[in-house]
Amino acid sequence: MRNLKRGVVALLIFCSGIHLSGQEFEWMGGFDSFLDNREYNSIGIPKTIFGSRVRGELGASLEETHRFRVGLNWLYEFGDQSGGHLPDVTMYYQYNKDHIDFRAGAFPRLNLPEYPRTDLLDYPISLLSDTLLYYRPNIEGVYLGYHGDWGYQNVFIDWTSRQTDEDFERFIFGFSGMVRKGILYLDHHLMMGHFAARAIPDPLFHLRDNGGADFNLGVNLSERLFLDSLSVSIGGLLSLDRIRGVDDGWQTPFGATAKFSALYKNLGMSGLFYGGEGHTFLYGDPFYRLKQYGRLDIFFMPFSNSNVKLKIDLGLHFAAGQLDFSQQILVSMTIDESR
C-alpha cells in the first residue's frame, strides 16, 4: 500500500512538471470488446473468444517528436469468475519525426497514437495469428519504421518470455514492408521465433527456430473504380522450421497464395486461396498446416471513425474438403486529450 501511494505521488509530480518544463501532457483511454466464434472442425480446434479490454495511458510529448507513455491494458474474458488475466503494463518511448518512427519498451500492437487506428505490424495471419491482439496487446521490445510516398519498411523484436528456472526464453523478430509504384505494389514479411531453454539445463531440450516469409505482387485499383478500395495480389508463402540437433537442416515447405480485398461504403469483402505444402507456424494460423485452404470474409462496418469502430464479420473457411465458419463482432472506442 505504501508503494502504491509513493507511485501515485511520483506520477502527480511527473504530470505537474510537464507544463513547468514546456512539455505537453497527453492521455489516452480506450475500450475494446470482441466476440470471435471459430467453428474450425476441419482442423479440430473449435473455439469461442469472448471478452473485453480496457486500456489507458498517461504521458508527455516534446514538440510532438519525443513521447513517453505509461499505462495499463486489462483483459476480462466473459465467464471467467476469477478475473483470470493480470493487467499488461504499457511503458514506452517513441521518436516520431519526418519519415522515422522508433519505439522502445512495452508499446501497443495497434498504432494507437495515429488515426485511423491501424496495426503497427501489418503481418498476414499465416505468420502472426490475430489471437495475439486478444491475449498479447503489447509488443515488448523495439520497433523501427521508415515510410514515405514510395511505401514503408520496418523491423522489430518482441521478447515474449524471459528465461527463468521455470520459463523458457522466447522472442520474435521480423522485417516487413511495401514498395508501391502507381497502381502496382510489392509487399513482403519475414518473421522468426527463437525458442530457447530454461535457466536450469535440460539435456532433453533442443533449441528451436520457427517462422516464415511471404511476398505478394499486387495492384491497387482504389482510385480507378467506384469502390472505396480494391486490391488483388498473388504471391508465395514459405515456412522455416528447425529443431537443432534433431532435424537435418531447415524444413522449408512452400506454396502459392492469391488474395483480394474490396470495400464500398460500409460493406466489404476479402478472400484468399493457398495451395502448396503444409506448414508449421507456431505463431500463425493453424489452417496453413493444410495443403489447400480458402477463406472468404464478408463484413459490415456500420460506423468507423477516429473514435469508435464496429465491425461485423462472417468468415467462410474451405478446408479439408469441408466448410467451416467463423463470426466476429469487434467494437473499439478510443479517446484522448484532443477528442
Side-chain angles (χ1 to χ4, degrees):
M1 189 65 179
R2 182 177 299 176
N3 291 335
L4 178 59
K5 291 180 179 179
R6 290 177 178 174
V8 172
V9 172
L11 181 60
L12 291 175
I13 294 174
F14 167 74
C15 292
S16 63
I18 289 173
H19 298 285
L20 294 176
S21 61
Q23 300 174 7
E24 181 180 350
F25 173 69
E26 295 182 337
W27 61 269
M28 183 280 295
F31 170 81
D32 304 293
S33 187
F34 45 83
L35 168 59
D36 193 338
N37 182 45
R38 304 176 176 187
E39 302 172 25
Y40 294 171
N41 297 301
S42 62
I43 51 177
I45 50 172
K47 183 179 183 180
T48 299
I49 305 172
F50 200 8
S52 293
R53 275 193 175 275
V54 61
R55 47 188 163 78
E57 297 179 13
L58 294 175
S61 66
L62 177 61
E63 299 177 351
E64 298 184 354
T65 299
H66 304 274
R67 171 181 283 120
F68 169 70
R69 291 283 188 98
V70 294
L72 294 175
N73 193 318
W74 180 61
L75 166 67
Y76 176 68
E77 287 194 270
F78 300 156
D80 187 353
Q81 301 303 319
S82 66
H85 300 272
L86 293 175
D88 291 280
V89 175
T90 299
M91 182 170 54
Y92 66 98
Y93 162 81
Q94 180 184 12
Y95 173 85
N96 192 352
K97 186 176 182 180
D98 298 329
H99 304 289
I100 299 174
D101 184 0
F102 171 75
R103 310 182 190 204
F107 46 91
R109 194 172 298 276
L110 289 174
N111 200 13
L112 294 173
E114 306 298 331
Y115 295 96
R117 201 183 80 168
T118 58
D119 290 344
L120 186 62
L121 297 175
D122 187 19
Y123 271 70
I125 62 173
S126 56
L127 299 177
L128 289 177
S129 172
D130 50 1
T131 55
L132 285 173
L133 192 57
Y134 300 141
Y135 294 111
R136 200 168 187 278
N138 287 344
I139 296 170
E140 299 179 10
V142 176
Y143 168 91
L144 175 62
Y146 187 81
H147 60 88
D149 294 337
W150 51 268
Y152 65 90
Q153 300 290 319
N154 59 60
V155 294
F156 78 96
I157 184 168
D158 184 8
W159 212 268
T160 60
S161 179
R162 181 179 65 88
Q163 186 183 62
T164 67
D165 292 347
E166 295 79 25
D167 299 321
F168 296 96
E169 178 184 276
R170 295 179 175 178
F171 62 86
I172 309 171
F173 65 90
F175 169 55
S176 66
M178 175 190 291
V179 178
R180 51 179 173 257
K181 180 68 174 179
I183 64 172
L184 297 177
Y185 67 88
L186 175 67
D187 67 32
H188 64 89
H189 308 85
L190 168 68
M191 187 279 295
M192 285 299 300
H194 180 70
F195 301 80
R198 299 184 178 98
I200 299 177
D202 180 356
L204 300 179
F205 179 83
H206 297 275
L207 292 173
R208 185 169 190 174
D209 304 293
N210 177 270
D214 83 332
F215 60 89
N216 301 277
L217 177 63
V219 292
N220 187 335
L221 301 173
S222 303
E223 299 181 359
R224 304 296 179 93
L225 300 174
F226 67 94
L227 298 174
D228 294 318
S229 68
L230 174 63
S231 64
V232 181
S233 68
I234 57 173
L237 178 64
L238 169 73
S239 61
L240 300 165
D241 188 45
R242 176 181 63 171
I243 302 176
R244 302 187 191 183
V246 176
D247 292 332
D248 183 19
W250 288 93
Q251 309 302 308
T252 58
F254 181 80
T257 59
K259 304 176 185 178
F260 81 91
S261 65
L263 178 67
Y264 179 67
K265 297 187 182 300
N266 298 326
L267 186 63
M269 181 181 298
S270 64
L272 66 87
F273 174 79
Y274 171 77
E277 301 174 278
H279 297 278
T280 301
F281 291 123
L282 298 184
Y283 285 103
D285 194 306
F287 275 111
Y288 290 87
R289 300 171 188 168
L290 305 175
K291 294 183 178 181
Q292 286 191 346
Y293 169 56
R295 175 170 180 167
L296 177 65
D297 285 271
I298 304 169
F299 57 90
F300 175 59
M301 296 187 294
F303 45 85
S304 178
N305 55 56
S306 62
N307 290 103
V308 185
K309 294 186 179 184
L310 170 62
K311 182 179 181 181
I312 303 170
D313 184 289
L314 171 63
L316 307 177
H317 305 263
F318 306 89
Q322 66 183 69
L323 178 61
D324 288 346
F325 296 91
S326 62
Q327 304 87 33
Q328 287 183 325
I329 301 177
L330 307 174
V331 181
S332 180
M333 179 176 181
T334 301
I335 55 174
D336 61 21
E337 72 281 351
S338 63
R339 290 166 170 80

